[in-house]
Amino acid sequence: AVSAAAGAEAAMREAMDPANQSLADALRLSYRVLQFAILALVGVFLLSGFQQVQEGQTGVKTLFGRIVGEPGAEQVAPGLQPFWPYPVGEVVLLPQKDAVELNTEFFPRFPQGASTVEMAAAATTTADPVRPGRDGSLLTADGDLAHVRILAEYAIEDPVRTLDEFRPDALREVVRKALCRSMVQVAAQYTLAEIVDGREGPVESLREGAQRTLDAMRSGIRITSVGFPERTAPLAIRNAFGRVQEAREEAKLAAEKAQQEANTT
């Protein structure tokens, strides 16, 4: 407490010295803490560029969006990869292998309560036509309709080319579209019986056609396997079509037996 008497100004300065000293110490401490925090943030920022590449992954390093590395050696190897942090640099990773399923593109919608093809066929009549836009289908070489489900696996052979052409999140859709395009072309080359009888010709033609499409896009993707988990005639005629196929096989066997008997005679 400083009274307003003679020399009050000097007394005030003397009284404020401890307060000023405390304030200076507090500011000095705050400055040190701020310096430490900035250094810690810089360290965390630099360390954020380190990324672990797992087995089964592949990818490249990009600096300001451009792929970097010696020509032919741009692909990163499994292990800890030190690099510039985002947004300066980034390690873009992809799974070396992946799979896509086409379950609805060429397959009909099941009636309510049906969970299998057999149940759906039993609940479908000729009064339930295949409806474009709701039921997927394929037009075959003999003018019939066929339904298939497709399961395909693919591998990234050239991640540099792949990431130079496509975004990482677009790869599955690229493979899906290539398979759809090829399947439409394949169906136009085979009859309904050839597609649904379990023959490997349509499957191999599908893989080759999809691969040609991917190669034409310089995708760096290779389709390793393709299969038809399910393939069927239209549900309304599935059972009748099966009986026709059985009758054809029986007729074929009967003709062969008759020929053998004729030869023997």
Side-chain angles (χ1 to χ4, degrees), residues 193-194 197 199 243-261:
E194 290 171 334
D197 279 355
R199 305 181 187 183
R243 291 193 295 270
V244 170
Q245 293 300 104
E246 291 175 1
R248 286 177 177 172
E249 290 299 321
E250 291 174 359
K252 182 179 178 181
L253 292 175
E256 291 175 353
K257 182 178 180 181
Q259 186 63 52
Q260 291 173 358
E261 291 177 352

Side-chain angles (χ1 to χ4, degrees), residues 121-167:
T124 304
T125 67
T126 53
D128 302 314
V130 175
R131 291 183 171 84
R134 188 198 71 169
D135 301 311
S137 62
L138 292 161
L139 186 62
T140 64
D142 51 352
D144 285 324
L145 294 180
H147 302 296
V148 299
R149 282 178 171 159
I150 302 172
L151 173 62
E153 296 179 349
Y154 65 91
I156 306 298
E157 284 194 328
D158 190 343
V160 178
R161 179 178 294 180
T162 300
L163 293 172
D164 196 41
E165 296 290 338
F166 306 106
R167 301 191 314 274

Side-chain angles (χ1 to χ4, degrees), residues 2-256:
V2 179
S3 60
E9 185 176 350
M12 178 65 74
R13 286 196 298 271
E14 182 179 354
M16 289 296 294
D17 280 344
N20 290 335
Q21 185 62 40
S22 297
L23 178 60
D25 292 342
L27 290 175
R28 189 178 299 109
L29 179 61
S30 299
Y31 179 67
R32 296 297 184 190
V33 171
L34 181 60
Q35 285 180 315
F36 178 79
I38 291 174
L39 291 175
L41 288 175
V42 170
V44 170
F45 175 70
L46 293 176
L47 289 175
S48 66
F50 288 68
Q51 192 163 343
Q52 182 71 27
V53 180
Q54 305 292 340
E55 292 291 340
Q57 288 183 321
T58 185
V60 295
K61 295 178 180 179
T62 62
L63 189 63
F64 295 110
R66 295 179 66 89
I67 297 175
V68 298
E70 295 295 329
E74 300 96 334
Q75 182 176 347
V76 297
L80 187 63
Q81 295 291 335
F83 198 56
W84 291 102
Y86 183 84
V88 178
E90 186 178 8
V91 180
V92 183
L93 298 178
L94 298 170
Q96 288 182 328
K97 297 180 179 180
D98 204 351
V100 293
E101 292 180 288
L102 281 70
N103 291 323
T104 59
E105 285 80 355
F106 307 115
F107 217 74
R109 182 182 298 179
F110 286 174
Q112 187 173 4
S115 58
T116 65
V117 175
E118 289 73 18
M119 294 173 61
T124 304
T125 67
T126 53
D128 302 314
V130 175
R131 291 183 171 84
R134 188 198 71 169
D135 301 311
S137 62
L138 292 161
L139 186 62
T140 64
D142 51 352
D144 285 324
L145 294 180
H147 302 296
V148 299
R149 282 178 171 159
I150 302 172
L151 173 62
E153 296 179 349
Y154 65 91
I156 306 298
E157 284 194 328
D158 190 343
V160 178
R161 179 178 294 180
T162 300
L163 293 172
D164 196 41
E165 296 290 338
F166 306 106
R167 301 191 314 274
D169 58 353
L171 296 185
R172 300 188 73 190
E173 190 63 22
V174 168
V175 175
R176 183 185 301 275
K177 296 299 184 185
L179 289 167
C180 286
R181 182 176 189 269
S182 179
M183 190 65 238
V184 171
Q185 296 172 343
V186 168
Q189 301 169 12
Y190 291 88
T191 65
L192 174 59
E194 290 171 334
I195 291 177
V196 303
D197 279 355
R199 305 181 187 183
E200 289 303 315
V203 176
E204 184 59 25
S205 296
L206 171 60
R207 190 196 65 78
E208 292 175 353
Q211 189 62 60
R212 283 195 299 270
T213 299
L214 294 172
D215 292 343
M217 293 189 291
R218 295 175 52 84
S219 66
I221 299 172
R222 180 174 59 87
I223 296 180
T224 56
S225 67
V226 177
F228 293 154
E230 288 184 299
R231 39 183 158 181
T232 180
L235 298 178
I237 66 167
R238 173 183 168 86
N239 295 332
F241 180 79
R243 291 193 295 270
V244 170
Q245 293 300 104
E246 291 175 1
R248 286 177 177 172
E249 290 299 321
E250 291 174 359
K252 182 179 178 181
L253 292 175
E256 291 175 353

